[in-house]
Amino acid sequence: MKRRHFIKNASLTGVGLAVGSALVGCAETPSEDKASIAASPASLPLVIATWHVMDATAKAMEVLQAGGNALDAVEQGCMVEEANEKGQSVGKGGLPDRDGNVTLDACIMNKHGNCGSVVYLQNITHAVSVARKVMEDTPHVMLAGEGAKQFAMSKGFQPEDLLTEASKEAWEKWKVEAKYKPIINIENHDTIGMLAIDNNGDISGACTTSGLAYKLGGRVGDSPIIGSGLFVDNEIGACVATGLGEEVVKTVGSFLVVELMRQGKSPQEACEEAISRIVNKPNSDYKNFQVGYIAVNKKGETGSYAIHQWFSMTKFQNGVNEQIQSDYYHKS
Ligand code: SD4
């Protein structure tokens, strides 16, 4: 299994929705090369992504090595996972909300600080590409729901049923086990966030997700929220988040990481500080949820950090495409 499942109980204040938590999943063989070790002076181009997504980083690197820019690289890299029906996380095959609807959130941000985003998008596999069209072809940043879908179709995206047999079965099983009660259930978190620096030294990022499995209908997480799920500042660096989006939004996590890098912190230090803002809140329930960040600075140094074990980053640089096990906060 290449993805992790966070399983346990955690109630989301106000909506009585239980969202997942403790990590019982698994990661691929961790590299000894911990992300906390400072990166050596980087050679470009460079791609990093959340979790174990080597096909996606390979695609992004192929784009960069062919002379493509970082924006094309992150879009095409994320599209690999969106099209992967076996990954029940992103795009086609994503796990649905509790009513059985697959709803996607995605965003993209370029070297100029321009961005586009879609929230609660249905029936369109490549949400990241729709987000790019929002950025490039409209005066807006964000389109939601039916409007986002209509916009996508006007741009030639074909509507399709994103609920695969496997995801439908998982949802039906969830309904039986959880008795469709909104307090205790099992959730999977999944997202791909990707950051790239191209041969010109320019940075772009993207993030795409089906969000929390079995979420309330209408729920939107951090992933399409610029500054929370993703932030790029071409002068400084970039960050992308994964995990329980509500906690990322509350701390505007990705923007925070980039601002910390602006103040002189390394990507690793900045990710650690952003996690500490979450876990050190009064009454933080951090033992029952996961958040992870990956970041890159203008020098091509990278970092990653999470609350819990098993978060990882895939990094493709200098001809090596590898999974790097992330350091984490909660060690006991
Ligand atoms: C969300 N942050 O919708 C996303 C979920 C996620 O790995 O990252 N899963 O809250």
Side-chain angles (χ1 to χ4, degrees):
M1 173 177 169
K2 295 193 171 89
R3 301 303 188 85
R4 68 274 167 257
H5 288 182
F6 308 130
I7 298 177
K8 237 169 111 180
N9 311 323
S11 65
L12 256 187
T13 320
V15 292
L17 168 63
V19 293
S21 297
L23 302 166
V24 297
C26 50
E28 301 295 309
T29 310
S31 160
E32 289 303 310
D33 178 15
K34 294 273 188 187
S36 54
I37 298 170
S40 53
S43 66
L44 301 179
L46 154 69
V47 181
I48 56 173
T50 55
W51 306 105
H52 183 258
V53 288
M54 293 212 189
D55 291 348
T57 48
K59 180 68 200 179
M61 183 54 75
E62 186 187 311
V63 171
L64 293 169
Q65 279 172 342
N69 63 35
L71 189 69
D72 292 331
V74 294
E75 180 191 5
Q76 290 187 41
C78 285
M79 286 171 70
V80 169
E81 282 296 305
E82 287 179 334
N84 175 10
E85 291 183 28
K86 289 192 186 133
Q88 292 179 302
S89 55
V90 179
K92 193 158 189 176
L95 288 168
D97 67 13
R98 54 189 52 207
D99 302 314
N101 299 313
V102 179
T103 69
L104 307 178
D105 297 335
C107 72
I108 196 160
M109 195 161 184
N110 72 9
K111 64 178 179 179
H112 301 299
N114 291 327
C115 46
S117 150
V118 287
V119 307
Y120 200 77
L121 176 68
Q122 294 186 68
N123 301 109
I124 306 288
T125 297
H126 292 301
V128 71
S129 301
V130 184
R132 181 169 177 176
K133 291 276 183 212
V134 173
M135 174 175 79
E136 292 180 341
D137 294 0
T138 81
H140 308 303
V141 163
M142 195 178 262
L143 290 180
E146 188 57 25
K149 182 176 161 183
Q150 291 303 326
F151 169 74
M153 287 163 60
S154 78
K155 293 289 168 186
F157 291 83
Q158 294 301 316
E160 49 183 327
D161 186 2
L162 302 184
L163 188 64
T164 55
E165 272 311 307
S167 290
K168 192 170 172 205
E169 268 173 38
W171 169 60
E172 277 163 355
K173 189 168 164 221
W174 170 81
K175 281 200 291 182
V176 172
E177 288 186 349
K179 297 189 173 59
Y180 212 77
K181 286 189 176 164
I183 304 301
I184 296 170
N185 54 34
I186 296 173
E187 316 285 346
N188 301 322
H189 295 214
D190 250 322
T191 291
I192 174 171
M194 185 176 282
L195 308 173
I197 310 185
D198 59 29
N199 286 312
N200 292 329
D202 290 320
I203 310 171
S204 290
C207 187
T208 182
T209 188
S210 53
L212 297 182
Y214 320 130
K215 61 198 174 186
L216 278 183
R219 181 266 185 191
V220 170
D222 61 312
S223 302
I225 311 289
I226 298 298
S228 291
L230 170 74
F231 196 70
V232 176
D233 182 327
N234 199 41
E235 298 299 308
I236 303 299
C239 174
V240 67
T242 186
L244 184 60
E246 281 73 5
E247 297 301 320
V248 176
V249 169
K250 287 176 203 169
T251 49
V252 199
S254 292
F255 182 72
L256 173 62
V257 168
V258 173
E259 289 307 298
L260 289 165
M261 291 194 289
R262 188 190 307 280
Q263 290 164 23
K265 289 198 187 297
S266 69
Q268 184 62 34
E269 290 166 342
C271 291
E272 290 179 18
E273 170 72 27
I275 291 294
S276 88
R277 296 283 175 98
I278 295 172
V279 299
N280 290 320
K281 279 181 165 178
N283 305 320
S284 175
D285 191 31
Y286 72 86
K287 287 185 184 161
N288 288 314
F289 63 79
Q290 172 75 309
V291 171
Y293 292 110
I294 64 169
V296 64
N297 67 13
K298 193 71 178 167
K299 288 187 270 185
E301 296 168 335
T302 61
S304 73
Y305 199 65
I307 298 174
H308 297 284
Q309 198 173 9
W310 304 123
F311 177 53
S312 63
M313 167 171 79
T314 305
K315 178 172 176 173
F316 202 149
Q317 184 180 31
N318 296 327
V320 181
N321 193 12
E322 61 180 341
Q323 185 188 20
I324 297 173
Q325 193 66 30
S326 176
D327 197 6
Y328 57 97
Y329 176 83
H330 185 57
K331 298 246 160 69
S332 54

